[in-house]
PDB file of all heavy atoms in Angstrom:
ATOM      1  N   VAL A 159      13.185 -73.042  23.478  1.00  0.00           N
ATOM      2  CA  VAL A 159      12.459 -73.766  24.527  1.00  0.00           C
ATOM      3  C   VAL A 159      11.087 -74.185  23.989  1.00  0.00           C
ATOM      4  O   VAL A 159      10.670 -75.344  24.150  1.00  0.00           O
ATOM      5  CB  VAL A 159      12.313 -72.909  25.808  1.00  0.00           C
ATOM      6  CG1 VAL A 159      11.344 -73.545  26.787  1.00  0.00           C
ATOM      7  CG2 VAL A 159      13.677 -72.686  26.455  1.00  0.00           C
ATOM      8  N   ILE A 160      10.398 -73.269  23.341  1.00  0.00           N
ATOM      9  CA  ILE A 160       9.077 -73.575  22.791  1.00  0.00           C
ATOM     10  C   ILE A 160       9.184 -74.680  21.749  1.00  0.00           C
ATOM     11  O   ILE A 160       8.390 -75.622  21.741  1.00  0.00           O
ATOM     12  CB  ILE A 160       8.416 -72.309  22.209  1.00  0.00           C
ATOM     13  CG1 ILE A 160       8.030 -71.364  23.352  1.00  0.00           C
ATOM     14  CG2 ILE A 160       7.209 -72.653  21.353  1.00  0.00           C
ATOM     15  CD1 ILE A 160       7.615 -69.987  22.913  1.00  0.00           C
ATOM     16  N   ARG A 161      10.182 -74.581  20.853  1.00  0.00           N
ATOM     17  CA  ARG A 161      10.358 -75.631  19.844  1.00  0.00           C
ATOM     18  C   ARG A 161      10.651 -76.978  20.494  1.00  0.00           C
ATOM     19  O   ARG A 161      10.140 -78.007  20.060  1.00  0.00           O
ATOM     20  CB  ARG A 161      11.467 -75.244  18.866  1.00  0.00           C
ATOM     21  CG  ARG A 161      11.029 -74.218  17.833  1.00  0.00           C
ATOM     22  CD  ARG A 161      12.030 -74.083  16.699  1.00  0.00           C
ATOM     23  NE  ARG A 161      13.299 -73.558  17.119  1.00  0.00           N
ATOM     24  CZ  ARG A 161      13.647 -72.276  17.111  1.00  0.00           C
ATOM     25  NH1 ARG A 161      12.789 -71.383  16.714  1.00  0.00           N
ATOM     26  NH2 ARG A 161      14.846 -71.897  17.494  1.00  0.00           N
ATOM     27  N   ASN A 162      11.468 -76.989  21.541  1.00  0.00           N
ATOM     28  CA  ASN A 162      11.795 -78.240  22.226  1.00  0.00           C
ATOM     29  C   ASN A 162      10.542 -78.871  22.822  1.00  0.00           C
ATOM     30  O   ASN A 162      10.309 -80.074  22.671  1.00  0.00           O
ATOM     31  CB  ASN A 162      12.814 -78.008  23.347  1.00  0.00           C
ATOM     32  CG  ASN A 162      14.185 -77.649  22.840  1.00  0.00           C
ATOM     33  OD1 ASN A 162      14.499 -77.836  21.673  1.00  0.00           O
ATOM     34  ND2 ASN A 162      15.005 -77.109  23.720  1.00  0.00           N
ATOM     35  N   VAL A 163       9.747 -78.066  23.504  1.00  0.00           N
ATOM     36  CA  VAL A 163       8.543 -78.591  24.164  1.00  0.00           C
ATOM     37  C   VAL A 163       7.533 -79.040  23.125  1.00  0.00           C
ATOM     38  O   VAL A 163       6.995 -80.148  23.203  1.00  0.00           O
ATOM     39  CB  VAL A 163       7.950 -77.543  25.131  1.00  0.00           C
ATOM     40  CG1 VAL A 163       6.593 -77.996  25.650  1.00  0.00           C
ATOM     41  CG2 VAL A 163       8.909 -77.292  26.291  1.00  0.00           C
ATOM     42  N   LEU A 164       7.268 -78.188  22.143  1.00  0.00           N
ATOM     43  CA  LEU A 164       6.299 -78.563  21.114  1.00  0.00           C
ATOM     44  C   LEU A 164       6.772 -79.763  20.315  1.00  0.00           C
ATOM     45  O   LEU A 164       5.979 -80.626  19.955  1.00  0.00           O
ATOM     46  CB  LEU A 164       6.044 -77.390  20.163  1.00  0.00           C
ATOM     47  CG  LEU A 164       5.283 -76.204  20.719  1.00  0.00           C
ATOM     48  CD1 LEU A 164       5.183 -75.109  19.662  1.00  0.00           C
ATOM     49  CD2 LEU A 164       3.920 -76.595  21.223  1.00  0.00           C
ATOM     50  N   GLY A 165       8.052 -79.797  20.047  1.00  0.00           N
ATOM     51  CA  GLY A 165       8.608 -80.879  19.233  1.00  0.00           C
ATOM     52  C   GLY A 165       8.461 -82.229  19.868  1.00  0.00           C
ATOM     53  O   GLY A 165       8.228 -83.218  19.197  1.00  0.00           O
ATOM     54  N   SER A 166       8.575 -82.294  21.167  1.00  0.00           N
ATOM     55  CA  SER A 166       8.532 -83.611  21.785  1.00  0.00           C
ATOM     56  C   SER A 166       7.157 -83.965  22.311  1.00  0.00           C
ATOM     57  O   SER A 166       6.744 -85.107  22.212  1.00  0.00           O
ATOM     58  CB  SER A 166       9.572 -83.712  22.897  1.00  0.00           C
ATOM     59  OG  SER A 166       9.443 -82.651  23.788  1.00  0.00           O
ATOM     60  N   ARG A 167       6.431 -83.030  22.858  1.00  0.00           N
ATOM     61  CA  ARG A 167       5.164 -83.363  23.496  1.00  0.00           C
ATOM     62  C   ARG A 167       3.987 -83.211  22.543  1.00  0.00           C
ATOM     63  O   ARG A 167       3.249 -84.164  22.301  1.00  0.00           O
ATOM     64  CB  ARG A 167       4.961 -82.503  24.736  1.00  0.00           C
ATOM     65  CG  ARG A 167       3.729 -82.890  25.519  1.00  0.00           C
ATOM     66  CD  ARG A 167       3.619 -82.164  26.816  1.00  0.00           C
ATOM     67  NE  ARG A 167       3.338 -80.750  26.616  1.00  0.00           N
ATOM     68  CZ  ARG A 167       3.142 -79.904  27.603  1.00  0.00           C
ATOM     69  NH1 ARG A 167       3.211 -80.291  28.839  1.00  0.00           N
ATOM     70  NH2 ARG A 167       2.888 -78.643  27.357  1.00  0.00           N
ATOM     71  N   GLU A 168       3.792 -82.025  21.998  1.00  0.00           N
ATOM     72  CA  GLU A 168       2.617 -81.769  21.190  1.00  0.00           C
ATOM     73  C   GLU A 168       2.611 -82.578  19.902  1.00  0.00           C
ATOM     74  O   GLU A 168       1.597 -83.106  19.503  1.00  0.00           O
ATOM     75  CB  GLU A 168       2.465 -80.271  20.914  1.00  0.00           C
ATOM     76  CG  GLU A 168       1.727 -79.508  22.003  1.00  0.00           C
ATOM     77  CD  GLU A 168       2.411 -79.470  23.364  1.00  0.00           C
ATOM     78  OE1 GLU A 168       3.623 -79.765  23.442  1.00  0.00           O
ATOM     79  OE2 GLU A 168       1.741 -79.175  24.353  1.00  0.00           O
ATOM     80  N   GLN A 169       3.767 -82.692  19.248  1.00  0.00           N
ATOM     81  CA  GLN A 169       3.808 -83.483  18.023  1.00  0.00           C
ATOM     82  C   GLN A 169       3.455 -84.938  18.299  1.00  0.00           C
ATOM     83  O   GLN A 169       2.754 -85.560  17.516  1.00  0.00           O
ATOM     84  CB  GLN A 169       5.186 -83.405  17.376  1.00  0.00           C
ATOM     85  CG  GLN A 169       5.342 -82.215  16.481  1.00  0.00           C
ATOM     86  CD  GLN A 169       6.585 -82.313  15.634  1.00  0.00           C
ATOM     87  OE1 GLN A 169       7.622 -82.761  16.088  1.00  0.00           O
ATOM     88  NE2 GLN A 169       6.496 -81.879  14.395  1.00  0.00           N
ATOM     89  N   ARG A 170       3.926 -85.445  19.425  1.00  0.00           N
ATOM     90  CA  ARG A 170       3.616 -86.841  19.784  1.00  0.00           C
ATOM     91  C   ARG A 170       2.112 -87.002  20.008  1.00  0.00           C
ATOM     92  O   ARG A 170       1.522 -87.977  19.554  1.00  0.00           O
ATOM     93  CB  ARG A 170       4.418 -87.213  21.031  1.00  0.00           C
ATOM     94  CG  ARG A 170       4.281 -88.647  21.443  1.00  0.00           C
ATOM     95  CD  ARG A 170       5.209 -89.021  22.604  1.00  0.00           C
ATOM     96  NE  ARG A 170       5.104 -88.135  23.750  1.00  0.00           N
ATOM     97  CZ  ARG A 170       6.083 -87.347  24.208  1.00  0.00           C
ATOM     98  NH1 ARG A 170       7.247 -87.313  23.627  1.00  0.00           N
ATOM     99  NH2 ARG A 170       5.885 -86.588  25.263  1.00  0.00           N
ATOM    100  N   GLU A 171       1.483 -86.030  20.661  1.00  0.00           N
ATOM    101  CA  GLU A 171       0.053 -86.111  20.940  1.00  0.00           C
ATOM    102  C   GLU A 171      -0.773 -86.002  19.659  1.00  0.00           C
ATOM    103  O   GLU A 171      -1.771 -86.701  19.497  1.00  0.00           O
ATOM    104  CB  GLU A 171      -0.368 -85.052  21.955  1.00  0.00           C
ATOM    105  CG  GLU A 171       0.190 -85.290  23.340  1.00  0.00           C
ATOM    106  CD  GLU A 171      -0.178 -86.652  23.924  1.00  0.00           C
ATOM    107  OE1 GLU A 171      -1.340 -87.080  23.787  1.00  0.00           O
ATOM    108  OE2 GLU A 171       0.701 -87.298  24.505  1.00  0.00           O
ATOM    109  N   VAL A 172      -0.365 -85.125  18.751  1.00  0.00           N
ATOM    110  CA  VAL A 172      -1.075 -84.992  17.485  1.00  0.00           C
ATOM    111  C   VAL A 172      -0.961 -86.295  16.696  1.00  0.00           C
ATOM    112  O   VAL A 172      -1.943 -86.775  16.119  1.00  0.00           O
ATOM    113  CB  VAL A 172      -0.539 -83.783  16.672  1.00  0.00           C
ATOM    114  CG1 VAL A 172      -1.032 -83.820  15.228  1.00  0.00           C
ATOM    115  CG2 VAL A 172      -0.931 -82.472  17.343  1.00  0.00           C
ATOM    116  N   GLN A 173       0.213 -86.898  16.681  1.00  0.00           N
ATOM    117  CA  GLN A 173       0.392 -88.155  15.962  1.00  0.00           C
ATOM    118  C   GLN A 173      -0.456 -89.269  16.583  1.00  0.00           C
ATOM    119  O   GLN A 173      -1.048 -90.069  15.873  1.00  0.00           O
ATOM    120  CB  GLN A 173       1.871 -88.574  15.925  1.00  0.00           C
ATOM    121  CG  GLN A 173       2.136 -89.741  15.010  1.00  0.00           C
ATOM    122  CD  GLN A 173       1.679 -89.493  13.584  1.00  0.00           C
ATOM    123  OE1 GLN A 173       2.028 -88.503  12.963  1.00  0.00           O
ATOM    124  NE2 GLN A 173       0.870 -90.401  13.059  1.00  0.00           N
ATOM    125  N   LYS A 174      -0.532 -89.299  17.920  1.00  0.00           N
ATOM    126  CA  LYS A 174      -1.388 -90.295  18.588  1.00  0.00           C
ATOM    127  C   LYS A 174      -2.836 -90.118  18.159  1.00  0.00           C
ATOM    128  O   LYS A 174      -3.536 -91.095  17.891  1.00  0.00           O
ATOM    129  CB  LYS A 174      -1.289 -90.156  20.108  1.00  0.00           C
ATOM    130  CG  LYS A 174      -0.091 -90.794  20.732  1.00  0.00           C
ATOM    131  CD  LYS A 174      -0.179 -90.652  22.259  1.00  0.00           C
ATOM    132  CE  LYS A 174       1.089 -91.014  22.953  1.00  0.00           C
ATOM    133  NZ  LYS A 174       1.018 -90.770  24.402  1.00  0.00           N
ATOM    134  N   ALA A 175      -3.297 -88.868  18.127  1.00  0.00           N
ATOM    135  CA  ALA A 175      -4.678 -88.600  17.737  1.00  0.00           C
ATOM    136  C   ALA A 175      -4.922 -89.079  16.306  1.00  0.00           C
ATOM    137  O   ALA A 175      -5.957 -89.720  16.033  1.00  0.00           O
ATOM    138  CB  ALA A 175      -4.989 -87.109  17.863  1.00  0.00           C
ATOM    139  N   LEU A 176      -3.995 -88.801  15.409  1.00  0.00           N
ATOM    140  CA  LEU A 176      -4.157 -89.265  14.028  1.00  0.00           C
ATOM    141  C   LEU A 176      -4.171 -90.787  13.939  1.00  0.00           C
ATOM    142  O   LEU A 176      -4.954 -91.367  13.170  1.00  0.00           O
ATOM    143  CB  LEU A 176      -3.039 -88.691  13.152  1.00  0.00           C
ATOM    144  CG  LEU A 176      -3.187 -87.216  12.780  1.00  0.00           C
ATOM    145  CD1 LEU A 176      -1.903 -86.677  12.160  1.00  0.00           C
ATOM    146  CD2 LEU A 176      -4.376 -87.002  11.850  1.00  0.00           C
ATOM    147  N   ASN A 177      -3.340 -91.454  14.727  1.00  0.00           N
ATOM    148  CA  ASN A 177      -3.329 -92.924  14.743  1.00  0.00           C
ATOM    149  C   ASN A 177      -4.666 -93.479  15.236  1.00  0.00           C
ATOM    150  O   ASN A 177      -5.205 -94.428  14.654  1.00  0.00           O
ATOM    151  CB  ASN A 177      -2.195 -93.452  15.614  1.00  0.00           C
ATOM    152  CG  ASN A 177      -0.833 -93.194  15.015  1.00  0.00           C
ATOM    153  OD1 ASN A 177      -0.702 -92.911  13.828  1.00  0.00           O
ATOM    154  ND2 ASN A 177       0.195 -93.277  15.831  1.00  0.00           N
ATOM    155  N   ILE A 178      -5.195 -92.902  16.300  1.00  0.00           N
ATOM    156  CA  ILE A 178      -6.476 -93.373  16.847  1.00  0.00           C
ATOM    157  C   ILE A 178      -7.599 -93.170  15.838  1.00  0.00           C
ATOM    158  O   ILE A 178      -8.447 -94.049  15.643  1.00  0.00           O
ATOM    159  CB  ILE A 178      -6.784 -92.652  18.178  1.00  0.00           C
ATOM    160  CG1 ILE A 178      -5.827 -93.145  19.264  1.00  0.00           C
ATOM    161  CG2 ILE A 178      -8.236 -92.852  18.595  1.00  0.00           C
ATOM    162  CD1 ILE A 178      -5.853 -92.328  20.548  1.00  0.00           C
ATOM    163  N   LEU A 179      -7.593 -92.019  15.166  1.00  0.00           N
ATOM    164  CA  LEU A 179      -8.621 -91.759  14.157  1.00  0.00           C
ATOM    165  C   LEU A 179      -8.501 -92.751  13.007  1.00  0.00           C
ATOM    166  O   LEU A 179      -9.520 -93.266  12.518  1.00  0.00           O
ATOM    167  CB  LEU A 179      -8.508 -90.319  13.654  1.00  0.00           C
ATOM    168  CG  LEU A 179      -8.843 -89.242  14.683  1.00  0.00           C
ATOM    169  CD1 LEU A 179      -8.493 -87.869  14.144  1.00  0.00           C
ATOM    170  CD2 LEU A 179     -10.302 -89.313  15.104  1.00  0.00           C
ATOM    171  N   GLY A 180      -7.294 -93.056  12.572  1.00  0.00           N
ATOM    172  CA  GLY A 180      -7.084 -94.034  11.506  1.00  0.00           C
ATOM    173  C   GLY A 180      -7.594 -95.414  11.910  1.00  0.00           C
ATOM    174  O   GLY A 180      -8.235 -96.117  11.111  1.00  0.00           O
ATOM    175  N   GLU A 181      -7.318 -95.796  13.165  1.00  0.00           N
ATOM    176  CA  GLU A 181      -7.806 -97.085  13.671  1.00  0.00           C
ATOM    177  C   GLU A 181      -9.327 -97.113  13.716  1.00  0.00           C
ATOM    178  O   GLU A 181      -9.949 -98.142  13.417  1.00  0.00           O
ATOM    179  CB  GLU A 181      -7.226 -97.358  15.059  1.00  0.00           C
ATOM    180  CG  GLU A 181      -5.736 -97.649  15.061  1.00  0.00           C
ATOM    181  CD  GLU A 181      -5.135 -97.637  16.468  1.00  0.00           C
ATOM    182  OE1 GLU A 181      -5.881 -97.556  17.458  1.00  0.00           O
ATOM    183  OE2 GLU A 181      -3.882 -97.700  16.554  1.00  0.00           O
ATOM    184  N   SER A 182      -9.922 -95.996  14.076  1.00  0.00           N
ATOM    185  CA  SER A 182     -11.383 -95.920  14.139  1.00  0.00           C
ATOM    186  C   SER A 182     -12.005 -96.109  12.760  1.00  0.00           C
ATOM    187  O   SER A 182     -13.020 -96.783  12.616  1.00  0.00           O
ATOM    188  CB  SER A 182     -11.826 -94.577  14.734  1.00  0.00           C
ATOM    189  OG  SER A 182     -11.414 -94.480  16.067  1.00  0.00           O
ATOM    190  N   ILE A 183     -11.393 -95.540  11.749  1.00  0.00           N
ATOM    191  CA  ILE A 183     -11.888 -95.698  10.378  1.00  0.00           C
ATOM    192  C   ILE A 183     -11.837 -97.163   9.974  1.00  0.00           C
ATOM    193  O   ILE A 183     -12.796 -97.707   9.408  1.00  0.00           O
ATOM    194  CB  ILE A 183     -11.082 -94.816   9.405  1.00  0.00           C
ATOM    195  CG1 ILE A 183     -11.416 -93.342   9.649  1.00  0.00           C
ATOM    196  CG2 ILE A 183     -11.346 -95.213   7.950  1.00  0.00           C
ATOM    197  CD1 ILE A 183     -10.533 -92.373   8.901  1.00  0.00           C
ATOM    198  N   ILE A 184     -10.721 -97.810  10.261  1.00  0.00           N
ATOM    199  CA  ILE A 184     -10.569 -99.230   9.931  1.00  0.00           C
ATOM    200  C   ILE A 184     -11.643-100.068  10.635  1.00  0.00           C
ATOM    201  O   ILE A 184     -12.258-100.950  10.026  1.00  0.00           O
ATOM    202  CB  ILE A 184      -9.148 -99.725  10.272  1.00  0.00           C
ATOM    203  CG1 ILE A 184      -8.131 -99.065   9.336  1.00  0.00           C
ATOM    204  CG2 ILE A 184      -9.062-101.244  10.213  1.00  0.00           C
ATOM    205  CD1 ILE A 184      -6.684 -99.268   9.741  1.00  0.00           C
ATOM    206  N   LYS A 185     -11.893 -99.795  11.907  1.00  0.00           N
ATOM    207  CA  LYS A 185     -12.914-100.529  12.663  1.00  0.00           C
ATOM    208  C   LYS A 185     -14.297-100.337  12.054  1.00  0.00           C
ATOM    209  O   LYS A 185     -15.062-101.298  11.914  1.00  0.00           O
ATOM    210  CB  LYS A 185     -12.931-100.088  14.124  1.00  0.00           C
ATOM    211  CG  LYS A 185     -11.770-100.570  14.936  1.00  0.00           C
ATOM    212  CD  LYS A 185     -11.819-100.012  16.351  1.00  0.00           C
ATOM    213  CE  LYS A 185     -10.549-100.336  17.121  1.00  0.00           C
ATOM    214  NZ  LYS A 185     -10.527 -99.688  18.440  1.00  0.00           N
ATOM    215  N   LEU A 186     -14.608 -99.104  11.696  1.00  0.00           N
ATOM    216  CA  LEU A 186     -15.921 -98.829  11.097  1.00  0.00           C
ATOM    217  C   LEU A 186     -16.055 -99.530   9.746  1.00  0.00           C
ATOM    218  O   LEU A 186     -17.114-100.113   9.447  1.00  0.00           O
ATOM    219  CB  LEU A 186     -16.130 -97.325  10.928  1.00  0.00           C
ATOM    220  CG  LEU A 186     -16.414 -96.546  12.204  1.00  0.00           C
ATOM    221  CD1 LEU A 186     -16.386 -95.053  11.924  1.00  0.00           C
ATOM    222  CD2 LEU A 186     -17.757 -96.945  12.788  1.00  0.00           C
ATOM    223  N   GLN A 187     -15.016 -99.488   8.936  1.00  0.00           N
ATOM    224  CA  GLN A 187     -15.064-100.125   7.624  1.00  0.00           C
ATOM    225  C   GLN A 187     -15.162-101.643   7.725  1.00  0.00           C
ATOM    226  O   GLN A 187     -15.894-102.278   6.967  1.00  0.00           O
ATOM    227  CB  GLN A 187     -13.846 -99.721   6.791  1.00  0.00           C
ATOM    228  CG  GLN A 187     -13.879 -98.267   6.370  1.00  0.00           C
ATOM    229  CD  GLN A 187     -12.586 -97.800   5.742  1.00  0.00           C
ATOM    230  OE1 GLN A 187     -11.530 -98.399   5.917  1.00  0.00           O
ATOM    231  NE2 GLN A 187     -12.650 -96.695   5.015  1.00  0.00           N
ATOM    232  N   SER A 188     -14.471-102.237   8.699  1.00  0.00           N
ATOM    233  CA  SER A 188     -14.520-103.698   8.823  1.00  0.00           C
ATOM    234  C   SER A 188     -15.845-104.182   9.403  1.00  0.00           C
ATOM    235  O   SER A 188     -16.234-105.325   9.177  1.00  0.00           O
ATOM    236  CB  SER A 188     -13.349-104.200   9.675  1.00  0.00           C
ATOM    237  OG  SER A 188     -13.481-103.754  11.002  1.00  0.00           O
ATOM    238  N   ALA A 189     -16.562-103.332  10.108  1.00  0.00           N
ATOM    239  CA  ALA A 189     -17.843-103.726  10.694  1.00  0.00           C
ATOM    240  C   ALA A 189     -19.014-103.418   9.767  1.00  0.00           C
ATOM    241  O   ALA A 189     -20.153-103.786  10.072  1.00  0.00           O
ATOM    242  CB  ALA A 189     -18.048-103.014  12.026  1.00  0.00           C
ATOM    243  N   ASP A 190     -18.755-102.800   8.638  1.00  0.00           N
ATOM    244  CA  ASP A 190     -19.825-102.303   7.758  1.00  0.00           C
ATOM    245  C   ASP A 190     -20.848-103.378   7.373  1.00  0.00           C
ATOM    246  O   ASP A 190     -22.049-103.119   7.400  1.00  0.00           O
ATOM    247  CB  ASP A 190     -19.213-101.676   6.498  1.00  0.00           C
ATOM    248  CG  ASP A 190     -20.261-100.998   5.652  1.00  0.00           C
ATOM    249  OD1 ASP A 190     -20.927-100.079   6.185  1.00  0.00           O
ATOM    250  OD2 ASP A 190     -20.422-101.390   4.477  1.00  0.00           O
ATOM    251  N   GLU A 191     -20.386-104.574   7.016  1.00  0.00           N
ATOM    252  CA  GLU A 191     -21.307-105.614   6.559  1.00  0.00           C
ATOM    253  C   GLU A 191     -22.208-106.131   7.673  1.00  0.00           C
ATOM    254  O   GLU A 191     -23.288-106.656   7.413  1.00  0.00           O
ATOM    255  CB  GLU A 191     -20.518-106.772   5.935  1.00  0.00           C
ATOM    256  CG  GLU A 191     -19.881-106.386   4.626  1.00  0.00           C
ATOM    257  CD  GLU A 191     -19.151-107.553   3.989  1.00  0.00           C
ATOM    258  OE1 GLU A 191     -19.398-108.714   4.354  1.00  0.00           O
ATOM    259  OE2 GLU A 191     -18.309-107.272   3.109  1.00  0.00           O
ATOM    260  N   GLU A 192     -21.779-105.964   8.930  1.00  0.00           N
ATOM    261  CA  GLU A 192     -22.558-106.463  10.060  1.00  0.00           C
ATOM    262  C   GLU A 192     -23.566-105.434  10.580  1.00  0.00           C
ATOM    263  O   GLU A 192     -24.395-105.764  11.426  1.00  0.00           O
ATOM    264  CB  GLU A 192     -21.613-106.831  11.206  1.00  0.00           C
ATOM    265  CG  GLU A 192     -20.567-107.858  10.843  1.00  0.00           C
ATOM    266  CD  GLU A 192     -19.473-107.955  11.911  1.00  0.00           C
ATOM    267  OE1 GLU A 192     -19.638-107.418  13.018  1.00  0.00           O
ATOM    268  OE2 GLU A 192     -18.444-108.585  11.610  1.00  0.00           O
ATOM    269  N   LEU A 193     -23.495-104.211  10.094  1.00  0.00           N
ATOM    270  CA  LEU A 193     -24.317-103.135  10.632  1.00  0.00           C
ATOM    271  C   LEU A 193     -25.723-103.132  10.036  1.00  0.00           C
ATOM    272  O   LEU A 193     -25.913-103.457   8.866  1.00  0.00           O
ATOM    273  CB  LEU A 193     -23.652-101.780  10.367  1.00  0.00           C
ATOM    274  CG  LEU A 193     -22.270-101.567  10.977  1.00  0.00           C
ATOM    275  CD1 LEU A 193     -21.726-100.204  10.551  1.00  0.00           C
ATOM    276  CD2 LEU A 193     -22.306-101.672  12.487  1.00  0.00           C
ATOM    277  N   THR A 194     -26.664-102.751  10.858  1.00  0.00           N
ATOM    278  CA  THR A 194     -28.035-102.540  10.383  1.00  0.00           C
ATOM    279  C   THR A 194     -28.062-101.248   9.565  1.00  0.00           C
ATOM    280  O   THR A 194     -27.124-100.438   9.648  1.00  0.00           O
ATOM    281  CB  THR A 194     -29.008-102.395  11.572  1.00  0.00           C
ATOM    282  OG1 THR A 194     -28.679-101.198  12.290  1.00  0.00           O
ATOM    283  CG2 THR A 194     -28.952-103.598  12.497  1.00  0.00           C
ATOM    284  N   PRO A 195     -29.118-101.035   8.800  1.00  0.00           N
ATOM    285  CA  PRO A 195     -29.200 -99.785   8.027  1.00  0.00           C
ATOM    286  C   PRO A 195     -29.088 -98.524   8.923  1.00  0.00           C
ATOM    287  O   PRO A 195     -28.440 -97.548   8.531  1.00  0.00           O
ATOM    288  CB  PRO A 195     -30.560 -99.855   7.343  1.00  0.00           C
ATOM    289  CG  PRO A 195     -30.823-101.331   7.214  1.00  0.00           C
ATOM    290  CD  PRO A 195     -30.215-101.959   8.434  1.00  0.00           C
ATOM    291  N   GLU A 196     -29.699 -98.580  10.110  1.00  0.00           N
ATOM    292  CA  GLU A 196     -29.606 -97.443  11.032  1.00  0.00           C
ATOM    293  C   GLU A 196     -28.165 -97.256  11.516  1.00  0.00           C
ATOM    294  O   GLU A 196     -27.671 -96.128  11.601  1.00  0.00           O
ATOM    295  CB  GLU A 196     -30.531 -97.618  12.240  1.00  0.00           C
ATOM    296  CG  GLU A 196     -32.005 -97.691  11.921  1.00  0.00           C
ATOM    297  CD  GLU A 196     -32.462 -99.085  11.508  1.00  0.00           C
ATOM    298  OE1 GLU A 196     -31.819-100.092  11.898  1.00  0.00           O
ATOM    299  OE2 GLU A 196     -33.436 -99.164  10.754  1.00  0.00           O
ATOM    300  N   ASP A 197     -27.507 -98.371  11.835  1.00  0.00           N
ATOM    301  CA  ASP A 197     -26.116 -98.302  12.285  1.00  0.00           C
ATOM    302  C   ASP A 197     -25.191 -97.812  11.172  1.00  0.00           C
ATOM    303  O   ASP A 197     -24.229 -97.092  11.436  1.00  0.00           O
ATOM    304  CB  ASP A 197     -25.637 -99.663  12.809  1.00  0.00           C
ATOM    305  CG  ASP A 197     -26.239-100.003  14.170  1.00  0.00           C
ATOM    306  OD1 ASP A 197     -26.737 -99.088  14.850  1.00  0.00           O
ATOM    307  OD2 ASP A 197     -26.177-101.195  14.548  1.00  0.00           O
ATOM    308  N   LYS A 198     -25.504 -98.213   9.919  1.00  0.00           N
ATOM    309  CA  LYS A 198     -24.694 -97.748   8.787  1.00  0.00           C
ATOM    310  C   LYS A 198     -24.796 -96.238   8.643  1.00  0.00           C
ATOM    311  O   LYS A 198     -23.809 -95.563   8.337  1.00  0.00           O
ATOM    312  CB  LYS A 198     -25.111 -98.440   7.490  1.00  0.00           C
ATOM    313  CG  LYS A 198     -24.631 -99.869   7.396  1.00  0.00           C
ATOM    314  CD  LYS A 198     -24.974-100.471   6.061  1.00  0.00           C
ATOM    315  CE  LYS A 198     -24.485-101.908   6.047  1.00  0.00           C
ATOM    316  NZ  LYS A 198     -24.375-102.470   4.723  1.00  0.00           N
ATOM    317  N   GLU A 199     -25.995 -95.714   8.865  1.00  0.00           N
ATOM    318  CA  GLU A 199     -26.173 -94.251   8.794  1.00  0.00           C
ATOM    319  C   GLU A 199     -25.341 -93.563   9.876  1.00  0.00           C
ATOM    320  O   GLU A 199     -24.682 -92.552   9.623  1.00  0.00           O
ATOM    321  CB  GLU A 199     -27.657 -93.914   8.950  1.00  0.00           C
ATOM    322  CG  GLU A 199     -27.960 -92.459   8.704  1.00  0.00           C
ATOM    323  CD  GLU A 199     -29.458 -92.173   8.739  1.00  0.00           C
ATOM    324  OE1 GLU A 199     -30.243 -93.020   8.251  1.00  0.00           O
ATOM    325  OE2 GLU A 199     -29.802 -91.108   9.261  1.00  0.00           O
ATOM    326  N   LEU A 200     -25.363 -94.123  11.074  1.00  0.00           N
ATOM    327  CA  LEU A 200     -24.560 -93.554  12.169  1.00  0.00           C
ATOM    328  C   LEU A 200     -23.062 -93.706  11.869  1.00  0.00           C
ATOM    329  O   LEU A 200     -22.286 -92.787  12.130  1.00  0.00           O
ATOM    330  CB  LEU A 200     -24.911 -94.232  13.498  1.00  0.00           C
ATOM    331  CG  LEU A 200     -24.225 -93.678  14.740  1.00  0.00           C
ATOM    332  CD1 LEU A 200     -24.504 -92.186  14.917  1.00  0.00           C
ATOM    333  CD2 LEU A 200     -24.679 -94.456  15.983  1.00  0.00           C
ATOM    334  N   ALA A 201     -22.683 -94.825  11.282  1.00  0.00           N
ATOM    335  CA  ALA A 201     -21.277 -95.046  10.931  1.00  0.00           C
ATOM    336  C   ALA A 201     -20.818 -94.016   9.899  1.00  0.00           C
ATOM    337  O   ALA A 201     -19.697 -93.483   9.992  1.00  0.00           O
ATOM    338  CB  ALA A 201     -21.073 -96.467  10.395  1.00  0.00           C
TER     339      ALA A 201
END
């Protein structure tokens, strides 16, 4: 039962989190040239 629940729900949520983080990295990298020096430090 635990494997069934973890396999379908938690694994899906962990994968979603990894996808969102990957997308965030891409967004930060693509905006790099437009950022001010202060924004680059925050990035």
Side-chain angles (χ1 to χ4, degrees):
V159 169
I160 290 169
R161 283 193 295 268
N162 291 344
V163 171
L164 290 177
S166 52
R167 186 173 69 177
E168 274 64 16
Q169 275 192 321
R170 185 174 52 244
E171 292 303 318
V172 167
Q173 189 57 52
K174 280 184 191 176
L176 285 169
N177 291 343
I178 289 169
L179 293 171
E181 290 168 8
S182 295
I183 290 171
I184 292 169
K185 287 176 188 174
L186 286 171
Q187 291 171 340
S188 66
D190 187 59
E191 291 182 18
E192 302 167 13
L193 299 177
T194 65
E196 297 84 25
D197 287 342
K198 285 185 181 198
E199 188 175 322
L200 184 57

